[in-house]
Amino acid sequence: MQENSTLRSPLGSPLKVKDVAVALGVDTSTVYVAVRTGLLGSFRVGAGRGTIRIPRSALKTYADERGIPADALGVEL
């Protein structure tokens, strides 16, 4: 399994957009589109626009709906 920031995130903590992109093997812009269109659940933290975080449960739901096996993501859900 490749080492990335997703694997270093504490288990149960929400994921960054970059971490989700790495887990899915897509560009971050693809993740932003999925968030913006409501296909991938997320929330914002911080002041102003904040930063987007994706709950692991939302990533699991997204992967399940697309037939992506959880073990192929390389992240604990």
Side-chain angles (χ1 to χ4, degrees), residues 31-54:
V31 177
Y32 283 116
V33 168
V35 166
R36 188 174 60 248
T37 59
L39 295 174
L40 181 59
S42 66
F43 61 93
R44 289 189 180 268
V45 295
R49 289 179 50 211
T51 56
I52 295 173
R53 294 292 185 262
I54 294 121

Side-chain angles (χ1 to χ4, degrees), residues 5-41:
S5 58
T6 301
L7 299 176
R8 292 188 301 263
S9 296
L11 186 58
S13 65
L15 302 166
K16 297 176 182 177
V17 169
K18 180 180 177 183
D19 297 334
V20 172
V22 169
L24 293 172
V26 298
D27 190 72
T28 56
S29 62
T30 303
V31 177
Y32 283 116
V33 168
V35 166
R36 188 174 60 248
T37 59
L39 295 174
L40 181 59

